[in-house]
Amino acid sequence: MLIGVIADDFTGASDIANTLVKGVAPEGGLKTAQFCGIPTGEIGDGIEAGVISLKSRTAPVEDAVSESLAALEWLLSQGCKQIVFKYCSTFDSTPAGNIGPVADALAKALDAKGVVVCPAFPGTGRTIYQGHLFVGDRLLNESGMQNHPLTPMTDPNLSRVLRRQTASSVGLVPLAQVQAGGATLQRAFESATERFLVADAVADADLLRLGQALCSATLITGGSGIALGLPRNFHQAGLAGAQDVEAEATVSGPEAILAGSCSGATRGQIEEHEQAHPTLAIDVPGVMEGTVTEDTLLEFYRANQGKAPLAYSAGKPDAVAEIQARFGRKAVAHRLDALFANVARALVRAGYRRIVVAGGETSGAVAQAVAEALNVSAMVVGREIDPGIPILTLGEEVPVTLALKSGNFGASDFFAKALTMMEGAP
């Protein structure tokens, strides 16, 4: 493998895997596989980029660091020349969060300095200017992320957030320096005395300049956008081959949509979907009290097979806060993850072939359950549904397709479109 990615959640892993598969014209991307957790043993089939999906974003710091270092060890054993630590493009991490400690541990293990920190993803409205993260035309802390139920972001200054999480030095590569590009930008990283450098980026062109300047970097951190220009470096060095994502197999068969995200974007997508398709609002207090079980959801899916049925636990911030106050935030998250995982496992065993998931934690639970049900760990990354969301295929003889959507990603018609594209439609 050429590039190894350590992703702190499953939707983020799919996001960056999608970026690596696409690359940029004329060279294109890399043949990429996404893994549910840390694989064991060797991989084959000419995989050029491997993305390890962890659930470390909200894990205890010690667990997040140890899992990330174990992932690093496996990726290095596969011959990876460059390591990317992928986190969310909204940098969602509390002051006691894991981005700083994990990045620090990886940097020390690789003896790396001048490590870029760049969660920018202009294609989805995430940009960085003077070290401040914007979502569209709003600062991060005014974008709705301040209300995130698990990782509320109340400070848009990435350097300041990172300094609360690590004792390592943090510098800034301002936009003018990024846009100068070339050898000047490359020297800024290679001669840096700081451990980390937050890099401005307001357009894809800035990410491509960063990618070129980071051609010799052993460690890179950021959102999926930072990987945009990385495949080109390996193509130009003659180390990567051509690949065609359009040639991937398509799948027909029973379908289900599971939504655990509470983001405004996901709630809007649910409202759009329910105009023409059956939906089930999951009674979360009922789940906590045991009156709503996986059988409740399975009965709903069976009754509406062929109609793109969607079950969701999404709610508005005040309703979510009320439920969390009543039952405990971690307890609610754990119970819902378990519910979605058990439902997904049962769906696969019942012959369901197309599963769409919304929400980072939900996606992690579902992807792991599906992989366990099929006894596989690798997911082949295929066509892009919407920016940052590819089709993932698990298994060979009777393949199952997944689409793992981060809460804020996807067009308003994402759910129906994803199911249609899994069958091979344009």
Side-chain angles (χ1 to χ4, degrees):
M1 284 197 296
L2 302 172
I3 296 179
V5 180
I6 302 167
D8 67 0
D9 80 345
F10 277 70
T11 55
S14 295
D15 184 1
I16 196 167
N18 178 69
T19 302
L20 290 167
V21 165
K22 289 195 306 179
V24 292
E27 295 88 356
L30 304 175
K31 186 171 184 181
T32 303
Q34 181 177 339
F35 302 98
C36 296
I38 304 169
T40 57
E42 303 289 324
I43 61 166
D45 300 324
I47 297 298
E48 297 168 324
V51 182
I52 294 180
S53 317
L54 301 178
K55 290 188 68 178
S56 57
R57 179 171 300 169
T58 56
V61 172
E62 297 79 6
D63 294 344
V65 169
S66 63
E67 289 177 7
S68 300
L69 288 174
L72 171 66
E73 182 179 0
W74 184 83
L75 290 168
L76 293 177
S77 76
Q78 303 304 304
C80 289
K81 302 179 183 300
Q82 195 164 59
I83 300 297
V84 181
F85 170 37
K86 196 277 175 194
Y87 39 78
C88 186
S89 60
T90 49
F91 209 76
D92 52 345
S93 182
T94 64
N98 295 337
I99 291 178
V102 170
D104 227 6
L106 295 175
K108 290 175 181 177
L110 294 168
D111 192 25
K113 289 185 178 179
V115 177
V116 69
V117 175
C118 186
F121 192 175
T124 58
R126 278 66 161 169
T127 58
I128 304 170
Y129 181 67
Q130 292 298 313
H132 288 70
L133 183 54
F134 289 79
V135 178
D137 62 353
R138 295 176 179 271
L139 285 165
L140 177 67
N141 60 318
E142 300 171 359
S143 68
M145 280 302 298
Q146 69 271 27
N147 298 317
H148 193 286
L150 297 178
T151 52
M153 289 298 295
T154 58
D155 189 346
N157 186 306
L158 298 182
S159 297
R160 201 157 51 212
V161 173
L162 199 55
R163 289 190 186 106
R164 296 190 188 109
Q165 298 181 352
T166 173
S168 292
S169 53
V170 183
L172 173 68
V173 182
L175 186 62
Q177 193 169 16
V178 171
Q179 294 184 338
T184 300
L185 181 57
Q186 187 170 349
R187 281 195 298 271
F189 289 109
E190 293 177 347
S191 64
T193 57
E194 298 94 345
R195 175 76 77 184
F196 300 110
L197 292 174
V198 175
D200 284 350
V202 299
D204 284 352
D206 300 324
L207 296 174
L208 292 176
R209 293 185 188 99
L210 287 167
Q212 183 181 29
L214 295 166
C215 60
S216 60
T218 56
L219 176 64
I220 295 168
T221 84
S224 64
I226 196 62
L228 188 63
L230 301 184
R232 172 179 284 176
N233 296 330
F234 292 99
H235 282 288
Q236 292 180 343
L239 299 175
Q243 57 98 28
D244 180 13
V245 297
E246 298 299 330
E248 299 295 341
T250 57
V251 170
S252 296
E255 77 294 346
I257 306 167
L258 302 91
S261 168
C262 297
S263 74
T266 296
R267 295 199 307 272
Q269 290 158 344
I270 292 169
E271 291 173 3
E272 169 89 8
H273 193 78
E274 67 185 358
Q275 300 302 312
H277 306 280
T279 60
L280 172 67
I282 298 171
D283 177 10
V284 178
V287 174
M288 301 304 295
E289 293 165 353
T291 58
V292 175
T293 68
E294 57 229 54
D295 288 337
T296 309
L297 275 68
L298 292 171
E299 182 179 348
F300 165 73
Y301 287 122
R302 284 193 295 265
N304 292 285
Q305 186 173 316
K307 301 176 183 177
L310 183 157
Y312 65 94
S313 62
K316 293 182 179 180
D318 54 348
V320 172
E322 182 180 342
I323 292 172
Q324 289 179 336
R326 179 178 172 188
F327 295 102
R329 186 182 72 178
K330 290 185 178 180
V332 172
H334 176 75
R335 188 69 66 86
L336 287 175
D337 282 354
L339 173 68
F340 284 122
N342 290 335
V343 168
R345 194 177 290 111
L347 288 172
V348 170
R349 289 172 178 164
Y352 279 69
R353 308 283 302 283
R354 295 174 293 149
I355 300 176
V356 179
V357 193
E361 297 299 312
T362 307
S363 291
V366 169
Q368 287 181 319
V370 172
E372 290 168 4
L374 296 173
N375 195 29
V376 299
S377 63
M379 301 182 283
V380 177
V381 183
R383 300 170 62 199
E384 183 178 52
I385 302 167
D386 275 334
I389 317 167
I391 296 173
L392 303 172
T393 303
L394 295 83
E396 295 180 358
E397 293 184 7
V398 186
V400 172
T401 51
L402 290 178
L404 308 178
K405 185 193 87 70
S406 178
N408 289 307
F409 280 24
S412 61
D413 63 345
F414 173 78
F415 293 125
K417 178 167 58 176
L419 291 174
T420 300
M421 289 184 65
M422 288 172 171
E423 293 184 301

